[in-house]
Structures are given as structure tokens and as C-alpha cells.
């Protein structure tokens, strides 16, 4: 797994000329960091007398973020795996009409898979952002800046993953299917931006 490596090793691979990990995998990794920051806020809130009234909410948020963090770690690898069939499809011959038709079919499915994984990254990050919104409002005030940092990471990661969605849907022949993916991605971006603004506004109110 990509994120089982040392951070420096992952960065070295990301810096290389290899096509993976790329923007999608990096976005999933950053999303996992965002979830981890949320977990830190939850852990710093749980067990504190001052926050006894939100203890159950913090426990539930912690469970959700742990699950989402692990899912984003897996998606870091799945994004790289989705690129392999696409790379192979590009290398298929297209000398005859039959070869061209076959390549087009394989390319279409490979492009879809290469777009659906970063869309799943976006959806997972969106769920993490909803938890960060709760933590930014009800979490330990001494750690609320970390909730703010987490939501900024999350929004950047979400929009980064969207680039990988769009670069693949642009090449799809089935424009209706491609547009469905684009609409879902754009909706997530808009909702994420709204959450980010709300959280940042709340955090700034509490730290300034």
C-alpha cells in the first residue's frame, strides 16, 4: 500500500516520472490527513468535563473518521490500480477496423474506471468534511484550528481529485455517462466549498 511507506518514500514516488501515484492518489492521501486531523480534534475533546454534553457525538465522529481515513488510504492504491488498464488500452493496436472498434470499447471502460475512483475519493472526502464541520463547531476550542486545517486540506483534496475525474470524462465517447460523472463531481465541489466556508468562519471566530 502506498501509505504504508514512509512519507518520504511516498513523496519520492510522487516526484518521479512514473505516472502513478499521481494527482488522484495524492488527493486521497491528503484527504486521509484531513480525516486524521479530525480524529485528533475528537480525541482531544473526548473525556473532557467541559465537553461532556457532546461526548457521544465526538465518539460517533471518531468512529466515522477512522473508517473514512482507512477508506482513503485504500483509495490511494485503487487510484493507481485504475490507471493500469487505461495505460494498457492506449497501447492496443488500431490497424484494422476491428482493432479500432475493440480499442475504443476497452478505452471507454478504462476511462470510466479511471474517473469513478477519484469520484469515490471525492465522495469519501465529502463525508469527512461533514465530520470536520461538527468538530469545528463542537470540538475542543484548543484544537479547533486543527479542524479548520483539516477542512482546508479536504477541500483542496476534493478539487484535486475532481481534476482526475474531468481529464478522463473529457475523453469518453459516451457523453451522457461522462456528464453524469461531471455533475456529481461539480455538486461535491460546491457542497464542499460551502462546508469549508462555514467551518473556516466558525474557526476564525473562535481563534481571533
Amino acid at each position: 500500500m502506498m501509505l504504508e511507506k514512509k512519507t518520504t518514500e511516498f513523496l519520492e514516488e510522487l516526484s518521479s516520472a512514473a505516472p502513478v501515484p499521481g494527482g488522484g492518489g495524492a488527493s486521497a492521501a491528503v484527504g486521509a490527513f484531513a480525516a486524521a486531523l479530525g480524529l485528533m480534534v475528537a480525541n482531544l475533546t473526548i473525556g473532557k468535563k467541559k465537553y461532556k454534553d457532546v461526548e457521544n457525538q465526538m465518539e460517533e465522529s471518531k468512529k466515522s473518521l477512522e473508517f473514512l481515513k482507512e477508506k482513503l488510504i485504500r483509495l490511494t492504491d485503487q487510484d493507481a490500480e485504475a490507471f493500469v488498464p487505461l495505460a494498457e488500452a492506449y497501447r492496443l493496436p488500431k490497424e484494422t477496423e476491428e482493432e479500432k472498434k475493440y480499442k475504443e470499447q476497452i478505452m471507454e471502460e478504462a476511462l470510466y474506471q479511471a474517473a469513478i475512483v477519484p469520484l469515490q475519493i471525492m465522495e469519501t472526502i465529502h463525508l469527512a468534511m461533514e465530520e470536520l464541520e461538527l468538530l469545528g463547531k463542537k470540538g475542543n476550542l484548543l484544537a479547533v484550528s486543527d479542524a479548520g486545517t483539516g477542512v482546508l486540506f479536504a477541500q483542496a483534496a476534493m478539487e484535486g481529485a475532481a481534476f482526475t475525474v474531468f481529464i478522463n470524462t473529457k475523453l469518453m465517447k459516451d457523453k451522457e455517462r461522462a456528464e453524469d460523472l461531471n455533475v456529481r463531481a461539480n455538486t461535491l465541489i460546491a457542497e464542499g466549498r460551502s462546508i469549508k466556508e462555514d467551518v473556516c468562519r466558525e474557526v476564525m471566530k473562535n481563534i481571533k
Side-chain angles (χ1 to χ4, degrees):
M1 291 179 70
M2 293 284 187
L3 293 188
E4 284 186 349
K5 303 174 185 291
K6 290 181 180 179
T7 303
T8 50
E9 291 174 343
F10 179 72
L11 289 172
E12 282 303 312
E13 290 196 21
L14 194 61
S15 303
S16 75
V20 292
S27 295
V30 172
F33 276 98
L37 281 166
L39 281 164
M40 182 178 72
V41 178
N43 282 320
L44 287 169
T45 307
I46 293 166
K48 301 292 191 296
K49 289 182 181 179
K50 183 178 178 180
Y51 301 99
K52 188 177 180 180
D53 290 347
V54 296
E55 180 97 5
N56 290 338
Q57 286 177 287
M58 293 295 110
E59 290 284 4
E60 287 302 314
S61 186
K62 181 180 175 179
K63 289 178 186 175
S64 295
L65 283 167
E66 190 62 53
F67 171 78
L68 295 169
K69 182 188 74 173
E70 293 303 317
K71 185 174 181 180
L72 285 162
I73 290 170
R74 293 195 301 272
L75 284 165
T76 303
D77 289 294
Q78 288 172 24
D79 183 74
E81 291 162 7
F83 180 79
V84 175
L86 183 58
E88 291 174 350
Y90 274 115
R91 290 194 291 267
L92 288 171
K94 53 178 181 178
E95 299 301 319
T96 67
E97 286 302 315
E98 189 175 87
E99 287 176 343
K100 287 178 183 177
K101 186 176 181 180
Y102 177 72
K103 181 172 183 174
E104 186 175 301
Q105 290 173 346
I106 297 300
M107 278 287 296
E108 188 70 9
E109 185 57 30
L111 286 165
Y112 175 78
Q113 292 301 324
I116 200 69
V117 174
L119 185 62
Q120 290 169 352
I121 292 169
M122 294 179 71
E123 290 169 344
T124 308
I125 290 171
H126 183 272
L127 293 172
M129 292 181 80
E130 291 179 336
E131 298 300 330
L132 285 160
E133 184 173 28
L134 169 69
L135 292 161
K137 292 178 179 177
K138 298 186 178 183
N140 191 325
L141 287 175
L142 295 176
V144 74
S145 61
D146 296 298
T149 302
V151 85
L152 288 171
F153 278 20
Q155 184 63 20
M158 180 185 285
E159 298 201 30
F163 285 146
T164 306
V165 174
F166 298 144
I167 199 169
N168 289 298
T169 56
K170 183 179 181 181
L171 297 173
M172 289 171 62
K173 301 292 184 183
D174 187 338
K175 296 305 178 185
E176 185 175 340
R177 197 182 196 193
E179 184 57 21
D180 176 63
L181 296 176
N182 289 342
V183 168
R184 287 163 65 185
N186 281 320
T187 299
L188 288 165
I189 289 171
E191 291 177 358
R193 286 177 179 173
S194 177
I195 292 172
K196 184 207 72 171
E197 291 301 322
D198 286 347
V199 174
C200 287
R201 186 164 46 247
E202 187 71 20
V203 168
M204 291 300 286
K205 182 177 75 176
N206 286 317
I207 66 175
K208 288 184 74 175

